[in-house]
Amino acid sequence: MERNTRQLSRGYAALFASIAIWSMPSLFQFYLVRYYEPFAQNFYRYSVACLAIAPFVFYRVRRGGPKIDLHALGVCLIPCIPNVIHQITQVVSLFYMGPGVYAIFNRSSVIFTALLALAFFPEERHIVRQWQFQLGTLLGLLGAFGVIWFQSNGQEPALSASRMGRHIAWPGLLIAFTATFCWALYAVLVKRPSAQLGAIRSFGVISLITSALSFPLTLLFGRIDAPLHAGAHVNLILIISAITCITMAHVLYYVAIQEVGVALAQTLQLLCPLGALALSAWIFHERLTSAQLISAAILLIGAFLAMRTKPTAAVETAENI
């Protein structure tokens, strides 16, 4: 009994720590985009995350278990492609909207993940007939659209081009949807390497491949010398964001789902946008219009309903890696 209590306490501590950490990724990215363009930012953040997870990977490998060979690299390569696209487009999205708005909109990935899982895993398709899933999907998509469509000039996006009293530009809308959809696709595709290698090994390999894929993109389209011009304090913030929001949160989340269960861990992750919005309002003075607040509530309710019936194939993946 005492052991179960300790495990439950550890699970809740890990869960709420991951919620607190995952309230901050869009804020870090919003701040860093002034110094690191999207390609360099994601290359260096994932490189730091890869180095941070490496000791845990080596420890697991020394203890035995699945080997990291060419087959493992091949399996991990597939989800890395949508992950790279997601990482770049989510930063570009912050040129059109504030970090709080994007954090709320990104919750629609729960619905996209479930829809993609239904397509990839036929045994789960009976779920689409459940009214909770149908209603949740409809509400979530309507809410997601409303959150970014009703953005006003009272918000402070990364660049002044979007500071107009009209709706968000269509390119920004398309980029935000692309980022969310690619994240959902990654969340489904990462199930196979995670099941074969385990959470730590799979994330170690995925972070390595993601960094490797981001390197030539940064050379071609970005600024590989960005750290030399950013300054020590900015580079320190980038390192902190990578270690906390990517590596540490990933490990904490898997501790949480092992100790308190996937359902509760997934449900409470819906608190992340609220934390992001509060922090963004405090730090960047971001404000949501009344229409956006109503849309955000609709989105979160829809995500909650859809998540109640989410396929088991989709719920084992970490959020905001």
Side-chain angles (χ1 to χ4, degrees):
M1 181 67 178
E2 183 178 350
R3 180 183 178 184
N4 291 336
T5 302
R6 285 199 305 268
Q7 290 178 333
L8 195 61
S9 299
R10 185 178 69 167
Y12 276 110
L15 175 57
F16 284 105
S18 69
I19 291 172
I21 292 172
W22 274 333
S23 297
M24 298 185 289
S26 60
L27 279 78
F28 278 117
Q29 292 166 338
F30 182 81
Y31 173 81
L32 290 170
V33 79
R34 304 168 187 174
Y35 309 95
Y36 281 83
E37 42 71 32
F39 296 97
Q41 181 179 147
N42 287 297
F43 167 65
Y44 284 109
R45 287 180 75 244
Y46 255 84
S47 296
V48 171
C50 181
L51 294 174
I53 198 69
F56 298 96
V57 175
F58 291 141
Y59 174 75
R60 290 296 181 92
V61 170
R62 290 187 61 181
R63 292 185 61 185
K67 294 182 179 180
I68 300 178
D69 51 18
L70 289 177
H71 174 72
L73 293 175
V75 171
C76 291
L77 174 62
I78 297 174
C80 286
I81 295 173
N83 187 35
V84 170
I85 299 173
H86 161 74
Q87 296 299 330
I88 294 171
T89 51
Q90 73 170 339
V91 177
V92 176
S93 297
L94 297 175
F95 286 83
Y96 296 90
M97 64 189 72
V101 171
Y102 180 79
I104 294 172
F105 176 76
N106 193 49
R107 290 299 100 184
S108 61
S109 64
V110 169
I111 296 167
F112 290 134
T113 301
L115 290 171
L116 287 168
L118 293 173
F120 277 92
F121 306 106
E123 67 274 12
E124 304 283 1
R125 290 176 185 169
H126 67 280
I127 291 174
V128 77
R129 294 193 294 268
Q130 300 183 31
W131 71 267
Q132 294 99 327
F133 181 81
Q134 296 173 359
L135 179 60
T137 299
L138 177 62
L139 292 177
L141 294 177
L142 289 174
F145 183 82
V147 164
I148 59 176
W149 181 251
F150 293 113
Q151 173 158 318
S152 74
N153 60 353
Q155 296 165 335
E156 293 291 330
L159 292 182
S160 59
S162 60
R163 293 177 184 173
M164 299 180 292
R166 296 191 294 269
H167 299 305
I168 186 173
W170 279 107
L173 187 66
L174 178 61
I175 291 169
F177 267 107
T178 300
T180 304
F181 178 81
C182 285
W183 174 251
L185 182 60
Y186 164 76
V188 173
L189 295 177
V190 81
K191 175 184 180 290
R192 184 182 175 192
S194 180
Q196 292 184 3
L197 301 176
I200 300 297
R201 288 180 177 86
S202 61
F203 177 66
V205 175
I206 286 172
S207 62
L208 176 63
I209 296 176
T210 299
S211 301
L213 293 176
S214 300
F215 179 66
L217 294 175
T218 305
L219 287 177
L220 291 173
F221 306 110
R223 294 186 58 187
I224 197 68
D225 61 343
L228 300 178
H229 304 283
H233 71 286
V234 175
N235 292 332
L236 179 61
I237 290 174
L238 183 141
I239 292 171
I240 292 173
S241 72
I243 293 175
T244 56
C245 297
I246 301 179
T247 305
M248 187 182 298
H250 179 89
V251 175
L252 287 170
Y253 180 76
Y254 272 95
V255 171
I257 62 175
Q258 289 172 3
E259 302 296 346
V260 303
V262 170
L264 180 59
Q266 282 281 305
T267 301
L268 291 181
Q269 291 300 321
L270 293 176
L271 296 174
C272 292
L274 303 180
L277 185 60
L279 289 170
S280 184
W282 175 45
I283 299 172
F284 301 116
H285 309 292
E286 181 183 11
R287 299 291 185 270
L288 264 67
T289 65
S290 298
Q292 283 181 300
L293 290 173
I294 295 173
S295 298
I298 293 173
L299 188 158
L300 296 179
I301 291 171
F304 176 80
L305 287 174
M307 200 162 50
R308 293 300 82 200
T309 58
K310 186 192 293 188
T312 55
V315 297
E316 295 176 357
T317 58
E319 295 276 335
N320 293 316
I321 294 175

